[in-house]
Amino acid sequence: MVDFSLTKQQQELVEKYKDFAERVIIPVRAKYDESSEFPWEVIKKAYDEGLMNSQIPKKLGGEGLNIFDSQLGSEELGAACAGICISIDANMLALTPWIIAADDEQLKRFMGRLNEEKGTAAYALTEPNAGSDVAGIKTTAIKKGDKYIINGHKRFITNGEGAMYHTVFALTDPERGARSLTCFVVPTDLPGVEILPRLDKMGQRGSVQNEIKYNDVEIPVENLIGREGEGFLIGMKTFDRTRTGVAALSIGIARSAYEISRDWAKNRIQFGKPVTANQAVSFMLAEMATKIELARLITWKAAWYFEQGLKTPGTYSAMAKYYASDVAMEVTTDAVQVMGGDGYTRSFGVEKMMRDAKLCQIYEGTNQVQKLVISKGILR
Ligand SMILES: Cc1cc2nc3c(=O)[nH]c(=O)nc-3n(C[C@H](O)[C@H](O)[C@H](O)COP(=O)(O)OP(=O)(O)OC[C@H]3O[C@@H](n4cnc5c(N)ncnc54)[C@H](O)[C@@H]3O)c2cc1C
C-alpha cells in the first residue's frame, strides 16, 4: 500500500522548521530582501537550534537527516524566505561532496572547525566560461610535493564571502581536461583567496553570491576529496542529492504565494461579491493548488528513491527540480495576478516570491539542463 502520511517524527520535524521560520526568519526577511546582506543572525540561531548541516551525521554535529526528511525542512524554510533558506541549504550543498567522498579524518577535521565557529561553506563549481557546461572548467590544482597549488576564477558562488571553506572543483591535469576534474576543500583564510564584491540580483536577496579568484593558493594534499579525476562524478552526484531540496524550496515559495492570494481573494469584494465568486479567479486558484500538490508528489518520490537505494534517483531529482521550480514561477505569477494591484506592491510579499521563484529555474543547473539529465536517464 502506498502511504503519503508523515511519521510522528517527521511531523515534529516539520513543526520545528515551521516554528523557526515564523520566529526567526519571517520577522527579518524584508530587511534582507532590501539590504542583500548575508543573514548571519539567522545562521547562528540555526546552528543553536540544530537546523544547520541537516544531512551531516549527528556525531559530526549535523542533524543526521536523510534526503526525504531534509527536503521537508527546505519546504518550510522556503515558504518563509527563499533567500535565507538558500543561505542555509547552500551550506549543505558545499558539504554534500564531503558526505559522498571525504574520509572520516577529513570529515572530523572540517566539521569540527565549522561547528566550533558556527561557520559557513560554499560550493565553487561554476566559472565565467563553465556554467551549464561543467566540462569547460579551467581552474587548475597542480600537485607540488605535499601541496596542490590552485589557480582559477569561480563565479556566482553562494555563501562565497564569509565562508570558512570552499569546496572547489579544479583540474589536476589541464591536458586531460574534465577527466582530471577533482574536488578539494580550500580554507578561505589562506593567502591568495580573493573574494570579489557580492553580486546584485533580482531575488533571493537573503543570500549572497561572489566571484572568487584563487591566486596560487597552496592547500595540503590532505584536502583532496575522493581521488584525482573523480570531481565530475562527485559534482553530479552532489546535484542528484541536492536538487530535491531546490524542488522543496520551490514548493514552499509556491505554497506561501498561493495561500496569501487565496485568503486575500476570499475577502476582496468587487461587483458586490468576493472575487473568488468568479470562475476566472477560482479556477486560477484551483490550478495553483493542483500544481503544488503535483510538485510535492514528484519531489517526495524523488527523495524516496534515494532512501530505497535505487539506481536512477538523479533522473527523478532532475524531474522534481524542473517541475517544482516551473510551478513556483507559474503560481507566484498567478498569485500576483489574483491580487491585482495589491499583488504588485511590496505590502503582501507575493512580488518578492515571484522574484525569488525565478532563480529556482536557474541554479543547480537550469531547467533546460534538467531536461538533458532526464532525457539521458530515460533513454539510457
Ligand atoms: C544566484 C545564483 C546562485 C548560484 N549559486 C551557485 C553556487 O553556489 N555554486 C556554483 O558553483 N554555481 C552557482 N550558480 C551558478 C548556476 O548553477 C549557473 O548559473 C547555472 O548552472 C547556469 O549557468 P550559466 O549562468 O553560465 O548559464 P549558461 O550555461 O550560459 O546558459 C545560458 C542559457 O543557455 C541554456 N543552455 C546552455 N546549454 C544548453 C544545452 N546544452 N541545451 C539547452 N540549453 C542550454 C541554459 O539553459 C540557459 O538558458 C549560481 C547562479 C546564480 C544565478
Side-chain angles (χ1 to χ4, degrees), residues 74-144:
S74 294
E75 179 177 332
E76 296 311 319
L77 298 182
C81 177
I84 294 177
C85 172
I86 210 65
S87 292
I88 293 173
D89 282 0
N91 225 56
M92 199 52 241
L93 171 66
L95 308 190
T96 299
W98 308 3
I99 298 184
I100 293 170
D103 61 31
D104 287 352
E105 181 280 320
Q106 290 176 317
L107 276 170
K108 264 193 210 143
R109 183 156 45 101
F110 300 137
M111 285 310 304
R113 204 182 142 204
L114 212 55
N115 290 325
E116 204 172 299
E117 298 182 31
K118 295 179 184 164
T120 55
Y123 183 82
L125 181 77
T126 305
E127 299 187 357
N129 292 312
S132 302
D133 182 11
V134 173
I137 282 179
K138 294 277 182 279
T139 296
T140 54
I142 305 302
K143 195 169 179 191
K144 275 202 183 139

Side-chain angles (χ1 to χ4, degrees), residues 343-363:
Y344 199 70
T345 69
R346 291 189 145 187
S347 310
F348 294 85
V350 290
E351 65 78 36
K352 170 184 180 295
M353 290 163 194
M354 184 175 162
R355 287 186 280 114
D356 288 349
K358 186 65 210 165
L359 185 53
C360 298
Q361 296 177 308
I362 295 171
Y363 57 24

Side-chain angles (χ1 to χ4, degrees), residues 51-80:
L51 278 82
M52 286 301 284
N53 311 331
S54 60
Q55 292 169 44
I56 293 288
K58 281 200 165 156
K59 62 176 183 188
L60 292 167
E63 273 194 89
L65 299 184
N66 62 27
I67 290 179
F68 190 94
D69 291 355
S70 174
Q71 61 83 29
L72 292 175
S74 294
E75 179 177 332
E76 296 311 319
L77 298 182

Side-chain angles (χ1 to χ4, degrees), residues 10 13 54-56 64-75 92 96 99-100 237-246 248 299-308 313-314 317:
Q10 288 169 325
L13 186 82
S54 60
Q55 292 169 44
I56 293 288
L65 299 184
N66 62 27
I67 290 179
F68 190 94
D69 291 355
S70 174
Q71 61 83 29
L72 292 175
S74 294
E75 179 177 332
M92 199 52 241
T96 299
I99 298 184
I100 293 170
K237 275 191 178 173
T238 295
F239 286 139
D240 286 351
R241 293 173 65 97
T242 56
R243 280 174 183 150
T244 53
V246 177
T299 303
W300 280 22
K301 189 168 180 188
W304 174 83
Y305 267 120
F306 275 96
E307 307 322 324
Q308 304 306 308
S317 50

